[in-house]
């Protein structure tokens, strides 16, 4: 696609965008009277306008039915989570039996590690990325210690090479090879939250399996952002949250993937709760945990309906738009932001603007992270004051997500205009 740095071009692209109507289906935050450019879908997705009615329905039916709502309500609470499974499985490329929505992300990862990180004397290492999201790092450290190993020894971090910002996949494969006999688990973010780098999950999975290790992924920044085929890629397990690209409300319920070859193995060790117990005998309240087959066998508790109502409304939007159409627009829109950043870098050499995110669309989703040398927080605060909301990380990295569901080419144009004024 050939880009142009004009408002006319941006408006023409928006007019031709088959997904343009979706923007109106979200609430945009405002600062005073002005509508913002919202590039923070990587942290908290915007609220679909259908969420309020979906939550109110459950509030009304709770008022009307009390406990009978478990069976009498429009969408019976007893099986409510099952309504979320088909659209969620479609988003991550899984069979329905391989996915369930439950708990929150870090909680779910710990539960999955109970089943999938079972280190032995000589096979205990985890290969992961350097500078991963802190919660994931704490997960690894505490899991490793829980099993009596030393994080400094057991966690092998693959880092970018000296002077580089991105991790080379060949270096990950080399680390897997070098630790082949001691490797228990390869655990990566599908998309790195900081750089926006998308890793080749099929390649890493294959490499892990080749040395007898398990492959698991944190898809917080991948689910709803990039095309995923977890089943086909033979990934062992994954977990993700629903409040970033999946727009399902702050801190809402997450989801897990367990490949069917593990899900059907009822002998696999796990922590149990009544909601993961065989449905037919759940209410007999007897001793003896019998897990359900599939990902549902990892559930612990009955489902939080108000949050799930918001999630249901949001996932309906995804089901309607479809990941292929979202991805097609995402590539163009992210390309336009990259182009705009490139122009700014040329115009303002003193600002030394560098893009951290890979240039190759196959190695990224809808995120562009830029490093603006020596500008520190002031530039970012000025951006917010001028109506562009992005994310800032020390020392001066700005992370932006032009989200295909609700961002426009005009948003990207406006960002360029605002930055031009601030950098001048
Ligand atoms: C957002 C995010 C989290 C947050 O975890 P919660 O348990 O939902 O608070 C964890 N890991 C990664 C990689 C994330 O991007």
């Amino acid at each position: 696609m050939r880009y142009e740095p004009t408002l006319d071009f941006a408006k023409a692209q928006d007019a031709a965008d088959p997904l343009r109507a979706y923007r109106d289906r979200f609430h945009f935050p405002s600062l005073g009277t002005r509508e913002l450019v919202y590039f923070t879908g990587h942290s908290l997705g915007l609220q679909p306008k259908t969420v309020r009615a979906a939550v109110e329905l459950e509030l009304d039916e709770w008022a009307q039915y009390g406990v009978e709502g478990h069976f009498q309500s429009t969408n019976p609470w007893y099986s409510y989570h099952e309504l979320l499974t088909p659209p969620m499985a479609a988003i991550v490329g899984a069979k329905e039996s391989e996915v369930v929505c439950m708990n929150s992300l870090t909680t779910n990862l710990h539960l999955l590690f109970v089943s999938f990180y079972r280190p032995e004397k000589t096979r205990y290492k985890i290969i992961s990325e350097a500078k991963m999201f802190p919660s994931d790092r704490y997960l690894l450290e505490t899991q490793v210690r829980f099993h009596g190993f030393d994080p400094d020894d057991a966690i092998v971090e693959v880092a970018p090479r000296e002077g580089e910002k991105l991790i080379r996949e060949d270096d990950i494969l080399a680390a897997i090879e070098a630790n082949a006999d001691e490797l228990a688990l390869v655990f990566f973010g599908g998309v790195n939250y900081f750089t926006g780098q998308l890793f080749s999950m099929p390649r890493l999975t294959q490499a892990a399996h080749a040395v007898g290790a398990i492959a698991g992924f944190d898809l917080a920044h991948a689910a709803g952002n990039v095309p995923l085929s977890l089943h086909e890629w033979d990934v062992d397990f994954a977990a993700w949250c629903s409040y970033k690209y999946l727009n399902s409300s702050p801190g809402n319920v997450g989801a897990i993937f367990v490949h069917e070859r593990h899900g059907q193995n009822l002998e696999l060790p796990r922590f149990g709760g009544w909601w993961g117990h065989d449905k037919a005998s759940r209410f007999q309240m007897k001793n003896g945990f019998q897990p359900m087959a599939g990902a549902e066998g990892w559930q612990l508790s009955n489902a939080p309906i108000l949050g799930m109502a918001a999630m249901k409304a949001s996932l309906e939007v995804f089901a309607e738009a479809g990941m292929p159409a979202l991805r097609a627009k995402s590539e163009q829109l992210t390309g336009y932001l990259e182009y705009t950043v490139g122009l700014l870098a040329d115009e303002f050499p003193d600002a030394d603007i560098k893009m951290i995110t890979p240039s190759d669309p196959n190695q990224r989703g809808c995120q562009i992270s830029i490093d603006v040398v020596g500008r520190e927080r002031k530039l970012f605060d000025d951006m917010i004051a001028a109506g562009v909301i992005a994310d800032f990380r020390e020392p001066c990295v700005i992370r932006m997500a032009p989200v295909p569901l609700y961002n426009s080419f005009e948003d990207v144009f406006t960002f360029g205009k605002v930055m031009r004024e601030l950098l001048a």
Side-chain angles (χ1 to χ4, degrees), residues 304-326:
I305 300 303
L306 298 184
M308 284 192 170
M311 196 165 173
K312 179 171 173 290
S314 178
L315 294 182
E316 279 163 5
V317 180
F318 272 87
E320 207 182 312
M323 281 308 293
L326 288 169

Side-chain angles (χ1 to χ4, degrees), residues 104-107 109 133 135-136 189 193 218 220-221 241 243-244:
S104 50
L105 174 54
T106 309
T107 308
L109 286 172
F133 194 89
S135 201
D136 297 47
Y193 84 100
D218 180 330
H221 286 265
C241 55
Y243 49 81
K244 292 173 180 166

Side-chain angles (χ1 to χ4, degrees), residues 1 35 53 63 71 81 116 146 156 171 189 220 262 299 314 325 341:
M1 183 171 202
E35 199 168 272
F71 299 99
H81 64 277
F116 295 106
F146 176 73
V156 179
D171 289 350
H262 302 302
Q299 296 174 107
S314 178
V341 164

Side-chain angles (χ1 to χ4, degrees), residues 61-371:
E61 298 201 321
W62 176 24
Q64 184 181 351
Y65 296 119
V67 72
E68 286 303 307
H70 280 296
F71 299 99
Q72 303 293 329
S73 59
T74 308
N75 301 305
W77 306 328
Y78 176 71
S79 53
Y80 200 95
H81 64 277
E82 294 172 10
L83 299 172
L84 308 177
T85 305
M88 193 60 104
I91 287 169
V92 298
K95 294 189 173 184
E96 290 177 14
S97 65
E98 294 172 322
V99 169
V100 71
C101 297
M102 63 180 202
N103 311 318
S104 50
L105 174 54
T106 309
T107 308
N108 284 335
L109 286 172
H110 277 293
L111 290 175
L112 289 167
F113 269 52
V114 168
S115 302
F116 295 106
Y117 178 60
R118 294 192 292 126
E120 291 162 11
K121 236 191 176 88
T122 57
R123 199 180 261 284
Y124 59 92
K125 288 191 176 173
I126 302 174
I127 287 188
S128 193
E129 71 217 89
K131 291 223 282 180
M132 60 185 338
F133 194 89
S135 201
D136 297 47
R137 175 68 203 189
Y138 306 150
L139 159 90
L140 296 187
E141 290 172 6
T142 54
Q143 281 285 338
V144 161
R145 279 208 194 94
F146 176 73
H147 287 285
F149 295 93
D150 172 8
D152 289 340
D153 171 41
I155 305 171
V156 179
E157 287 190 335
V158 184
R161 292 187 188 180
E162 190 70 31
E164 298 184 3
K165 301 267 191 206
L166 301 168
I167 298 173
R168 296 195 195 192
E169 241 158 53
D170 286 345
D171 289 350
I172 307 173
L173 299 179
I176 292 173
E177 205 48 49
N179 292 279
D181 296 336
E182 299 173 322
L183 195 61
L185 174 66
V186 173
F187 181 71
F188 264 73
V191 173
N192 180 277
Y193 84 100
F194 188 76
T195 62
Q197 180 176 13
L198 165 62
F199 295 105
S200 170
M201 288 171 254
R203 242 177 122 199
L204 299 191
T205 300
Q206 208 176 27
H209 290 174
V211 300
I214 293 271
F217 295 94
D218 180 330
L219 302 178
H221 286 265
N225 177 15
V226 294
L228 298 166
S229 301
L230 298 182
H231 175 81
E232 198 183 305
W233 296 342
D234 211 24
V235 165
D236 294 288
F237 73 92
W240 56 99
C241 55
S242 66
Y243 49 81
K244 292 173 180 166
Y245 293 107
L246 294 176
N247 311 321
S248 91
S249 83
N252 201 3
V253 177
I256 65 163
F257 165 87
V258 175
H259 198 281
E260 69 177 357
R261 101 189 106 77
H262 302 302
Q264 300 305 321
N265 176 7
L266 303 182
E267 303 302 314
L268 203 60
R270 67 191 80 193
F271 287 170
W274 71 325
W275 232 248
H277 182 90
D278 172 40
K279 252 200 308 202
S281 60
R282 182 181 294 157
F283 284 92
Q284 292 171 9
M285 307 302 217
K286 282 191 186 144
N287 289 355
F289 176 65
Q290 292 166 12
M292 295 174 73
E296 288 189 322
W298 272 263
Q299 296 174 107
L300 298 181
S301 302
N302 78 101
I305 300 303
L306 298 184
M308 284 192 170
M311 196 165 173
K312 179 171 173 290
S314 178
L315 294 182
E316 279 163 5
V317 180
F318 272 87
E320 207 182 312
M323 281 308 293
L326 288 169
R327 175 62 173 176
K329 177 176 172 186
S330 173
E331 288 185 6
Q332 295 183 353
L333 199 59
T334 306
Y336 192 41
L337 181 55
E338 176 181 19
Y339 165 82
T340 304
V341 164
L343 292 181
L344 291 168
D346 290 346
E347 271 174 62
F348 302 98
D350 287 354
D352 201 12
I353 299 172
K354 288 198 186 69
M355 188 171 87
I356 298 174
T357 308
S359 215
D360 174 6
N362 293 319
Q363 291 179 55
R364 71 182 184 200
C366 66
Q367 179 182 333
I368 298 285
S369 298
I370 58 173
D371 199 349

